[in-house]
């Protein structure tokens, strides 16, 4: 039994190994704040994305998403147009950190636009410091009538209102990872 548990744990992390097949979704590497703001379009009433002064734990660049929730009724979000094929990848991995009052944000959603619909996956912010978020593709929920994962047209990061406070969310190094082990979900 212990050997089976150890094998299952090793298989879970196999896709995050340094040699795993990866592709960059969002490198977070822009020349300046204006370039980052031009790439990420904010929702009405939401501030522009800027370069973060902090680096991720692996030394990579990050973007800062300002969330002043006092003036918003539901959420702060930003869209980035991009053409990407994630059909052969099973996980999305990125770094995240919150500065300011974390109670401002109830939860977060990462979306991928696929034509007439979206794929969305919720996640929580870390209480302190950097955290690596790993989202299995099987956990993304379709909204509308999305095309397949092979024809994605955009990314949306969405931070849902918790309280009338302010926080800034830092995101860095978003990649897709292909695992060597298939992830099977029980549908019963």
């Amino acid at each position: 039994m212990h050997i089976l548990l150890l094998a299952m744990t090793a298989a879970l992390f196999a896709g995050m190994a340094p040699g795993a097949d990866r592709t960059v979704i969002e490198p977070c590497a822009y020349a300046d704040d204006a370039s980052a703001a031009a790439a990420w379009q904010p929702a009405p009433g939401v501030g522009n994305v800027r370069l973060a002064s902090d680096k991720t734990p692996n030394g990579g660049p990050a973007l800062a998403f300002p969330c002043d929730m006092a003036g918003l009724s539901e959420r702060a979000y930003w869209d980035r147009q991009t053409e990407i094929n994630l059909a052969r990848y099973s996980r999305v991995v990125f770094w995240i950190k919150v500065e300011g009052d974390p109670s401002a944000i109830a939860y977060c959603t990462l979306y991928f636009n696929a034509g007439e619909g979206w794929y969305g996956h919720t996640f929580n912010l870390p209480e302190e410091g950097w955290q690596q978020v790993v989202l299995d593709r099987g956990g993304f929920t379709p909204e509308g009538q999305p095309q397949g994962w092979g024809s994605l047209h955009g990314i949306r990061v969405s931070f849902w209102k918790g309280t009338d406070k302010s926080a800034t969310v830092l995101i860095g190094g978003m990649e897709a990872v292909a695992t060597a082990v298939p992830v099977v979900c029980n549908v019963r």
Side-chain angles (χ1 to χ4, degrees):
M1 182 65 167
H2 287 83
I3 293 173
L4 177 61
L5 183 58
L6 181 60
M8 290 172 59
T9 303
L12 175 67
F13 291 104
M16 295 187 298
D21 184 17
R22 299 171 176 268
T23 191
V24 174
I25 296 172
E26 169 55 65
C28 302
Y30 295 91
D32 52 32
D33 288 343
S35 299
W40 286 90
Q41 299 302 308
V46 176
N48 286 333
V49 168
R50 67 179 192 286
L51 301 176
S53 57
D54 279 7
K55 300 289 185 195
T56 63
N58 62 357
L63 296 174
F65 296 84
C67 301
D68 183 3
M69 296 305 198
L72 300 174
S73 61
E74 186 177 59
R75 63 179 171 163
Y77 69 87
W78 293 259
D79 290 332
R80 179 174 178 262
Q81 299 302 311
T82 185
E83 297 297 321
I84 191 164
N85 179 346
L86 297 182
R88 58 185 286 241
Y89 297 94
S90 55
R91 290 193 174 127
V92 175
V93 179
F94 55 94
W95 290 100
I96 195 162
K97 177 182 178 181
V98 64
E99 296 177 339
D101 192 332
S103 73
I105 300 166
Y107 64 96
C108 316
T109 309
L110 175 65
Y111 294 97
F112 290 103
N113 176 256
E116 299 298 316
W118 298 82
Y119 294 106
H121 198 307
T122 60
F123 60 95
N124 293 314
L125 290 173
E127 290 185 23
E128 62 180 53
W130 285 101
Q131 173 183 312
Q132 193 170 45
V133 176
V134 179
L135 304 176
D136 285 325
R137 195 172 91 181
F140 280 82
T141 303
E143 295 180 14
Q145 299 295 318
Q147 298 169 350
W149 284 89
S151 56
L152 301 177
H153 307 293
I155 305 166
R156 173 176 287 173
V157 291
S158 185
F159 305 105
W160 298 86
K161 184 173 183 172
T163 63
D164 285 340
K165 306 282 181 166
S166 292
T168 299
V169 180
L170 308 184
I171 294 179
M174 189 179 295
E175 299 179 315
V177 180
T179 58
V181 178
V183 177
V184 179
C185 298
N186 186 354
V187 293
R188 288 193 234 179

